[in-house]
Amino acid sequence: MAVQIPIQAQSQRPKVLSVLVDYMTTTDHKKIGLLYIATAILAFAVAGLLAVALRLQLAVPNNTLLVGNTYNQVLTLHAAVMIFFFLIPIGLFGFGNYFLPLMLGVRDVALPRVNTFAVWGFIFSLVLVIVAMLNGGAPGVGWTFYYPLSVDANQTGVAVLMVALILNGISSLLGSANFAATVINMRAPGMSLWKMPIFVWSIFATSMLQLVSLGGLTAAALVTYLELKVGVSMFNSAIGGVPVLMQQFFWFYSHPAVYVMLLPYLGIGAEIASTMARKPLFGYRVMVYSLLGIVLVSLLVWLHHMFAVGIPESWQIAFMVATMIVAVPTGVKIFNLIGTLWGGRIIMKTPTYWLVGFIFNFLIGGITGMSLGMIPFDYQVTMSYYVVAHFHNVMMFGTAFLAMGGLYYWWPKMTGRFLDEKLGMAHFWLFMVGSWMTFLPQYVLGLLGMPRRYYTYPDGNFAWNELNLVSTVGAFFLLAGGMVWFWNMYQSFRRPITASANPWGGFTLEWTAASPPAEYNFAHDFPKSFPTERPLYDWEQSGTKLKPVDPSTIHLPVSSWGPFITAVSLLLMGWGLSFGWFSGYHPQGTPAPQLSATIILYLSIPLFLYGLFKWAGTREYDVPVEHHTLTKYDNGFMGMAWFILSEISLFGVLIAGYVYLRVTGHAEPPAMRPNIWLASLNTLILVSSSFVVHRAEQDQHHHRMTRARLGLFIVLAMGALFMLFQIYEFSLFGKESNWTQNLWQSCFFIIVGLHGLHILIGGTGIAIPYFQAMTGKIDKTNHGSLTAASLYWHLVDVVWLLILAIFYVW
């Protein structure tokens, strides 16, 4: 599609409907980034108001504003919304989507339509959580949804939260794989990995961490959901399960999630420090190594959240040491930021204040985190307000300060307008004072013995009344700061676009685009030489000029309804899976909601397939465009290769849990197990199908399309045959014994059933290039999705071989 330079008409504003349609169908990474940012800010507002309600309840002893499970529901929603819908997405996917392609000097991400689907999947997962409250209430189990509280019959809305977390996770994984593929395959020619801006490194490192660790949260949510719906579990002690295993799954992701919430903001802080101090980043390579070091070590510290649950002392000591070690690369980055500011000609604008505030606040939060890593001290305070204070110290008046700094720093680039400095300073100081007033008293309350998660407390405890009142007053300072921030953003949109392309004098490629950037990002090509990560400074020193490009020669991906329709179908599917499908949960006391939800579930499946095939059947470009990549692999293959890391993580966590249960004698196989001969036949079918799909891929590569189509048809037939045998095996095995009364059978149902779901997903993936080949959508410039589908099919086959070994042979 040829892109023309738009003519700005101040007197004409686009209609609301046309803007809405544009954002629903867009593949522009900048608009997708704005969708993430706007949704995250809305989530921050909702979660912030819920936090104020919590503090009002705790302002005085024996208060009755929020009592019992109502308090638990507000607490759960505050934490879940703040973590999963603000802190994680605004840094990684909001700023990441908007600025990663701009900093890499490219037009878009590797997989633009996957990006569209991911953002709407994220938005609809939040919609599912909020709307579900109107159909039975919110969950009151905390954001950690510990077992067995999460399967208590008196709790409502837990299934909704589990489904929403899984949908949110799918979107997050697709976005992370997209970023990783973009970084590896689509940098500007001449930009090596060691010449990328530090913010790009932070997004790349965070994406890898998400892909490797998110399987833990998905496994915890999936097993909890299945126990609620069909009664199978790995955690139920009544059938030999281990409840603490749920915490192992959960924290395998949810401690790395702290760094998922931190690493993008450290990249933002480094960009602010370098620009505002007029200096290169101090210790660029050391900071990159520390980012990657955190990715590795953060995967080895999850057990420090569980010191008090009775794990062996040797494990506790090992994880205490790992906790101390992870502080080293974290501390290095603080020195990087301080060293960058040291001796610079610092521009003291609002972004700089947020950066300095972060350094100070995060340092305190890090020190208190080290104290929690000491086992005896952790025993004393693990269920107290000390932990609440530490977490908010790190996240709210640590990480969130750089989220604000990033908004003030990049707002002129995104909107072409500046945020007001006086209002910005009022916002900063209200947040700084409010944060310390809110959370510093909570450290003291924790040391005085006040437990966390309690909705009230008695009168007469030493200093509890006064400290809780101060903490509540601090929450109102934060509320006032949030109102000033919203007013500042609103006021900025009432001003004309006046920001230059480079208002702060930055050194990275995004500052060569207009403010706000055009749809095609850049109307110029970049030199092939990148001496350092600060190319604008280097080119200015050497006298190198940018080469103008005629925008009419630039071609961008076309908009498509397919990803949006597919995301809508997942919202409907999520509703059906939450309130229908094997559900004994009647939120309004009648079976009617269950029946309607089940109907919605069944209707969502054809809508999902329609959206997916509409997506696949529409060419990405209106005109033939050659895809230039930095590796020999296309973007679809590269994105799938990264995404497969998350699938390995999911199956790895579940299989590790099963192996533990089997080795410790909890999951003893029943006398009558599924027949090995049928599993062997299925193995032959799957392994053979891998060879067939590989042959079809080679035929397509050599443009033997008739043979390629035949091969894909055979693979689909073999996959269908495998599923028929699997359904027969499940039904036969289910008649012989009760799935819900034997732990081995529960594990078998969960893991083998999940593999069966992946067969359906992989089969759909194979059907898409078959459809593309049958409709003539594959040619020399439009390669279709066979390489990605083939890679995924091979993964499914390898997982089956592992399942065969641990369930049928062992």
Side-chain angles (χ1 to χ4, degrees):
M1 179 179 67
V3 179
Q4 302 293 334
I5 298 177
I7 299 174
Q8 298 289 343
Q10 297 293 337
S11 60
Q12 294 182 354
R13 291 185 178 182
K15 295 182 179 179
V16 174
L17 181 60
S18 64
V19 172
L20 187 61
V21 169
D22 181 32
Y23 273 83
M24 287 191 293
T25 61
T26 186
T27 57
D28 186 346
H29 69 96
K30 299 179 293 299
K31 293 176 181 176
I32 290 170
L34 291 175
L35 281 172
Y36 273 112
I37 292 171
T39 306
I41 290 174
L42 176 63
F44 178 81
V46 172
L49 291 173
L50 293 174
V52 171
L54 295 173
R55 285 313 317 167
L56 281 173
Q57 165 61 24
L58 295 170
V60 294
N62 302 314
N63 202 358
T64 58
L65 176 66
L66 296 174
V67 177
N69 200 49
T70 302
Y71 179 89
N72 295 335
Q73 290 175 330
V74 173
L75 178 66
T76 300
L77 286 176
H78 159 69
V81 171
M82 190 68 84
I83 291 170
F84 296 114
F85 296 98
F86 171 67
L87 279 172
I88 291 176
I90 193 172
L92 177 57
F93 299 113
F95 293 125
N97 261 298
Y98 201 104
F99 290 104
L100 183 131
L102 287 169
M103 286 185 161
L104 292 177
V106 296
R107 308 282 178 203
D108 214 315
V109 292
L111 302 167
R113 292 185 185 176
V114 171
N115 215 18
T116 306
F117 170 72
V119 68
W120 285 108
F122 160 73
I123 292 171
F124 288 145
S125 65
L126 177 60
V127 170
L128 181 62
V129 170
I130 294 175
V131 175
M133 289 190 294
L134 306 176
N135 193 41
V141 293
W143 77 282
T144 57
F145 57 94
Y146 276 178
Y147 190 91
L149 178 61
S150 54
V151 294
D152 188 336
N154 295 318
Q155 288 293 340
T156 62
V158 179
V160 183
L161 180 61
M162 299 304 99
V163 173
L165 290 179
I166 292 172
L167 294 182
N168 190 340
I170 292 171
S171 299
S172 180
L173 293 171
L174 290 172
S176 297
N178 212 345
F179 285 158
T182 303
V183 168
I184 295 299
N185 235 22
M186 292 186 62
R187 303 183 305 277
M191 180 188 286
S192 69
L193 289 174
W194 286 111
K195 299 300 183 289
M196 296 192 306
I198 200 68
F199 177 71
V200 175
W201 270 111
S202 71
I203 295 295
F204 186 36
T206 309
S207 298
M208 289 190 286
L209 186 56
Q210 278 279 85
L211 291 167
V212 172
S213 65
L214 191 55
L217 179 66
T218 306
L222 177 64
V223 176
T224 301
Y225 172 82
L226 289 175
E227 179 164 354
L228 287 168
K229 289 295 184 177
V230 294
V232 296
S233 177
M234 301 173 75
F235 313 140
N236 186 0
S237 60
I239 61 172
V242 178
V244 173
L245 192 60
M246 182 270 163
Q247 293 187 39
Q248 299 274 9
F249 288 1
F250 177 86
W251 286 114
F252 180 74
Y253 169 72
S254 296
H255 185 79
V258 173
Y259 296 101
V260 171
M261 289 181 267
L262 173 64
L263 296 184
Y265 301 106
L266 289 170
I268 292 171
E271 298 296 340
I272 294 173
S274 178
T275 298
M276 295 304 187
R278 320 306 301 154
K279 284 176 59 183
L281 179 66
F282 175 74
Y284 169 84
R285 290 208 172 206
V286 174
M287 188 163 187
V288 170
Y289 285 128
S290 68
L291 288 170
L292 300 177
I294 280 185
V295 171
L296 176 62
V297 184
S298 68
L299 294 168
L300 306 174
V301 297
W302 77 89
L303 214 67
H304 72 209
H305 293 272
M306 302 168 58
F307 283 155
V309 303
I311 57 177
E313 288 185 3
S314 58
W315 282 84
Q316 293 186 44
I317 293 171
F319 279 83
M320 179 184 71
V321 172
T323 301
M324 302 302 171
I325 291 174
V326 79
V328 175
T330 306
V332 165
K333 292 192 297 299
I334 299 299
F335 281 110
N336 286 129
L337 296 176
I338 295 173
T340 304
L341 294 173
W342 190 271
R345 294 179 289 110
I346 301 176
I347 304 171
M348 289 307 296
K349 294 291 186 179
T350 315
T352 316
Y353 280 90
W354 288 108
L355 171 64
V356 175
F358 161 80
I359 293 173
F360 177 71
N361 293 337
F362 188 80
L363 183 62
I364 304 299
I367 292 171
T368 57
M370 293 295 291
S371 70
L372 287 169
M374 294 186 289
I375 298 169
F377 184 77
D378 183 82
Y379 285 167
Q380 299 301 315
V381 301
T382 187
M383 286 303 295
S384 78
Y385 258 83
Y386 189 93
V387 176
V388 177
H390 157 70
F391 183 80
H392 287 83
N393 197 163
V394 173
M395 292 293 106
M396 176 56 214
F397 63 120
T399 299
F401 268 48
L402 283 184
M404 303 302 166
L407 277 169
Y408 280 88
Y409 177 65
W410 277 317
W411 191 265
K413 177 55 62 179
M414 293 188 292
T415 67
R417 304 165 173 90
F418 287 95
L419 289 167
D420 185 82
E421 278 292 313
K422 290 183 179 179
L423 290 175
M425 293 308 301
H427 176 200
F428 170 77
W429 285 113
L430 284 168
F431 262 47
M432 177 65 86
V433 174
S435 294
W436 280 104
M437 287 184 65
T438 304
F439 303 114
L440 184 59
Q442 293 178 10
Y443 280 117
V444 183
L445 282 166
L447 294 174
L448 291 175
M450 183 173 176
R452 61 197 293 203
R453 303 191 179 103
Y454 280 46
Y455 68 84
T456 191
Y457 54 94
D459 195 3
N461 289 318
F462 175 73
W464 281 29
N465 296 9
E466 297 80 2
L467 290 171
N468 272 296
L469 183 60
V470 171
S471 184
T472 300
V473 172
F476 277 92
F477 272 80
L478 292 173
L479 178 61
M483 294 172 67
V484 170
W485 172 37
F486 274 73
W487 178 253
N488 199 354
M489 291 189 293
Y490 171 73
Q491 285 293 317
S492 76
F493 283 114
R494 301 180 65 183
R495 301 171 186 158
I497 294 176
T498 58
S500 65
N502 194 358
W504 305 118
F507 306 113
T508 45
L509 298 185
E510 79 271 25
W511 302 112
T512 66
S515 297
E519 187 178 8
Y520 46 81
N521 288 352
F522 308 103
H524 49 259
D525 284 336
F526 295 105
K528 300 293 193 294
S529 172
F530 286 79
T532 70
E533 76 280 3
R534 306 165 76 228
L536 300 194
Y537 176 82
D538 300 323
W539 294 337
E540 182 181 356
Q541 295 300 306
S542 64
T544 305
K545 302 295 184 183
L546 302 179
K547 181 181 177 182
V549 172
D550 182 1
S552 64
T553 65
I554 299 173
H555 303 283
L556 297 174
V558 296
S559 300
S560 172
W561 278 101
F564 180 79
I565 294 172
T566 310
V568 169
S569 71
L570 283 188
L571 171 63
L572 299 176
M573 195 178 296
W575 185 270
L577 290 171
S578 299
F579 295 107
W581 189 71
F582 289 100
S583 180
Y585 167 38
H586 307 289
Q588 296 179 2
T590 66
Q594 179 185 355
L595 177 61
S596 61
T598 303
I599 294 173
I600 290 173
L601 171 61
Y602 292 141
L603 291 177
S604 70
I605 296 173
L607 181 64
F608 174 82
L609 294 174
Y610 169 76
L612 199 60
F613 281 87
K614 181 177 179 62
W615 176 359
T618 307
R619 293 186 186 273
E620 189 172 6
Y621 291 87
D622 276 342
V623 297
V625 175
E626 286 291 338
H627 300 275
H628 297 286
T629 57
L630 298 177
T631 70
K632 65 179 181 179
Y633 303 106
D634 63 43
N635 290 330
F637 179 94
M638 185 65 69
M640 181 58 72
W642 284 103
F643 180 78
I644 279 176
L645 276 179
S646 67
E647 297 283 32
I648 294 172
S649 170
L650 174 58
F651 278 105
V653 168
L654 289 170
I655 289 173
Y658 163 72
V659 170
Y660 167 78
L661 294 173
R662 179 73 191 276
V663 169
T664 55
H666 291 84
E668 288 296 330
M672 296 295 292
R673 282 204 277 179
N675 292 317
I676 186 68
W677 68 266
L678 188 56
S680 300
L681 179 59
N682 262 349
T683 303
L684 178 62
I685 292 172
L686 268 193
V687 171
S688 300
S689 70
S690 264
F691 285 103
V692 176
V693 77
H694 176 72
R695 184 70 259 176
E697 189 180 355
Q698 295 299 311
D699 287 334
Q700 179 189 310
H701 181 69
H702 293 97
H703 305 293
R704 295 190 289 263
M705 295 309 300
T706 301
R707 292 176 56 177
R709 289 193 295 268
L710 177 61
L712 292 175
F713 179 80
I714 294 173
V715 172
L716 289 172
M718 297 174 85
L721 188 61
F722 176 93
M723 285 303 299
L724 287 174
F725 285 147
Q726 198 72 58
I727 293 169
Y728 169 75
E729 180 185 70
F730 264 55
S731 60
L732 189 64
F733 191 30
K735 288 179 181 179
E736 295 173 349
S737 55
N738 190 338
W739 293 93
T740 63
Q741 299 302 312
N742 181 278
L743 181 60
W744 189 93
Q745 286 182 247
S746 282
C747 294
F748 180 87
F749 179 91
I750 292 167
I751 297 175
V752 181
L754 180 64
H755 176 266
L757 176 62
H758 280 71
I759 288 286
L760 294 176
I761 296 170
T764 305
I766 296 294
I768 287 173
Y770 179 70
F771 168 73
Q772 291 170 334
M774 293 296 291
T775 55
K777 296 298 190 299
I778 295 177
D779 52 41
K780 291 183 179 180
T781 56
N782 295 278
H783 302 154
S785 55
L786 180 54
T787 55
S790 173
L791 188 61
Y792 192 85
W793 191 257
H794 296 322
L795 167 75
V796 172
D797 292 357
V798 171
V799 171
W800 174 254
L801 294 176
L802 188 57
I803 288 174
L804 179 72
I806 63 174
F807 281 111
Y808 294 90
V809 177
W810 185 22

